[in-house]
Amino acid sequence: MNENSTLSAFKPVRRRTFEDVTSQIREQIAQGALREGDRLPAERVLAETLGVSRNTVREALRSLEYAGLLTQKPGASGGAYIASGGVDVIRSAFDDLMSLGTIRAPDLIEARIVIGREVARLACERHDATDLAALVDNVEKTHKAAEAGDLPLRVRYSLEFHKLMALAAKNPVLTIMTNVLTDTTMKFVKAIGEMPNDFVLASRKRMLEHLRHRNADMAADEADAYLRTTLRSYLRDAQLPPVGR
């Protein structure tokens, strides 16, 4: 999208407050007129178009940056850009809630199991050849990392597997939630220390077979069993909730 077409979508504001500016930018994002990676016009141009001061525009952009909707890039080609959906903001919010004790380990476990089951079920039904190839490649890399005794690398590939499964489920909300919950769990792993999980590769191979045969029920059960086992290892003091089909 070029800057001229972006400018045509904006209208002069009446109250001349930074909230009016942020509201117009949010509206353009909601309508799809502004998309991820689009660059906003320069502060001076926005201020002239909207009939507000540059300080008002600057305050609005700062507010949207804090909200995770914009990123500011320095340099000659820099400026304000539409961010990638605010996933980092959701992740930060989860971190804060964990720190405050609002979200406890059992809550995290329950959410991961519930979402993990449904992600596996949908991945069986919706995955394509590209998804399956990426998952097979991930399992091969996990195996090589395990053989080399590279535990941090094996953990990294293991976490990536869950994110690839979510992509295969073809639901952006589940993808975001899986990424956030997986990354939050990783904070526990780092605090406790990575532990060897001999059951990981066996579970991964079974999951690939369920995917190939599109056996959704068995994939869901495999995801449930795997998550309960691995989360019990890392969060051994937390009570596992009774989550079933």
Side-chain angles (χ1 to χ4, degrees), residues 54-72:
R54 290 185 66 175
N55 284 337
T56 298
V57 170
R58 192 172 296 119
E59 188 175 3
L61 297 182
R62 188 180 301 116
S63 173
L64 292 168
E65 183 180 10
Y66 290 154
L69 291 176
L70 294 182
T71 56
Q72 295 280 0

Side-chain angles (χ1 to χ4, degrees), residues 10 13 16-27 46 50 52-53 56-58 60-61 64:
F10 291 103
V13 296
R16 299 190 175 186
T17 62
F18 82 93
E19 289 93 347
D20 295 300
V21 179
T22 59
S23 294
Q24 287 205 41
I25 295 175
R26 287 178 183 273
E27 183 179 349
L46 269 177
L50 297 171
V52 299
S53 69
T56 298
V57 170
R58 192 172 296 119
L61 297 182
L64 292 168

Side-chain angles (χ1 to χ4, degrees), residues 3-243:
E3 291 191 4
N4 289 333
S5 60
T6 300
L7 286 173
S8 65
F10 291 103
K11 302 174 183 177
V13 296
R14 295 179 179 178
R15 290 176 302 187
R16 299 190 175 186
T17 62
F18 82 93
E19 289 93 347
D20 295 300
V21 179
T22 59
S23 294
Q24 287 205 41
I25 295 175
R26 287 178 183 273
E27 183 179 349
Q28 296 305 311
I29 294 173
Q31 294 176 353
L34 288 172
R35 299 180 181 275
E36 177 183 342
D38 283 348
R39 179 185 179 183
L40 289 177
E43 286 182 4
R44 176 185 58 79
V45 179
L46 269 177
E48 291 174 356
T49 303
L50 297 171
V52 299
S53 69
R54 290 185 66 175
N55 284 337
T56 298
V57 170
R58 192 172 296 119
E59 188 175 3
L61 297 182
R62 188 180 301 116
S63 173
L64 292 168
E65 183 180 10
Y66 290 154
L69 291 176
L70 294 182
T71 56
Q72 295 280 0
K73 298 181 181 180
S77 61
Y81 289 80
I82 304 300
S84 57
V87 176
D88 288 340
V89 175
I90 300 174
R91 189 178 292 108
S92 296
F94 265 74
D95 290 345
D96 292 340
L97 291 171
M98 293 290 289
S99 298
L100 291 170
T102 306
I103 295 177
R104 301 169 300 115
D107 303 320
L108 178 63
I109 290 171
E110 186 170 43
R112 281 212 65 192
I113 292 173
V114 169
I115 291 176
R117 285 188 64 92
E118 293 313 306
V119 162
R121 187 184 302 280
L122 290 174
C124 267
E125 297 171 354
R126 299 175 178 176
H127 78 269
D128 55 31
T130 301
D131 296 319
L132 187 58
L135 287 161
V136 169
D137 180 65
N138 172 275
V139 173
E140 290 175 354
K141 289 178 178 177
T142 305
H143 179 69
K144 290 178 181 178
E147 282 189 329
D150 192 334
L151 197 55
L153 186 60
R154 197 236 350 121
V155 170
R156 195 185 89 191
Y157 286 138
S158 182
L159 294 173
E160 183 185 74
F161 184 87
H162 299 294
K163 297 178 180 182
L164 290 172
M165 286 286 289
L167 287 173
K170 304 291 192 287
N171 183 306
V173 176
L174 288 177
T175 298
I176 291 170
M177 293 310 301
T178 298
N179 289 350
V180 171
L181 291 174
T182 299
D183 291 344
T184 303
T185 304
M186 187 60 188
K187 296 184 185 300
F188 282 102
V189 175
K190 288 181 177 178
I192 297 170
E194 292 105 347
M195 295 179 290
N197 293 331
D198 297 333
F199 60 87
V200 172
L201 283 170
S203 176
R204 295 287 189 259
K205 291 175 181 177
R206 288 193 296 269
M207 181 62 80
L208 289 178
E209 286 303 303
H210 300 327
L211 288 166
R212 289 188 180 103
H213 293 94
R214 297 193 182 273
N215 193 324
D217 287 341
M218 292 189 71
D221 288 344
E222 183 64 44
D224 187 300
Y226 171 82
L227 287 168
R228 286 173 181 274
T229 302
T230 190
L231 293 174
R232 186 183 290 113
S233 297
Y234 287 121
L235 310 176
R236 51 178 82 84
D237 294 329
Q239 183 179 357
L240 291 169
V243 180

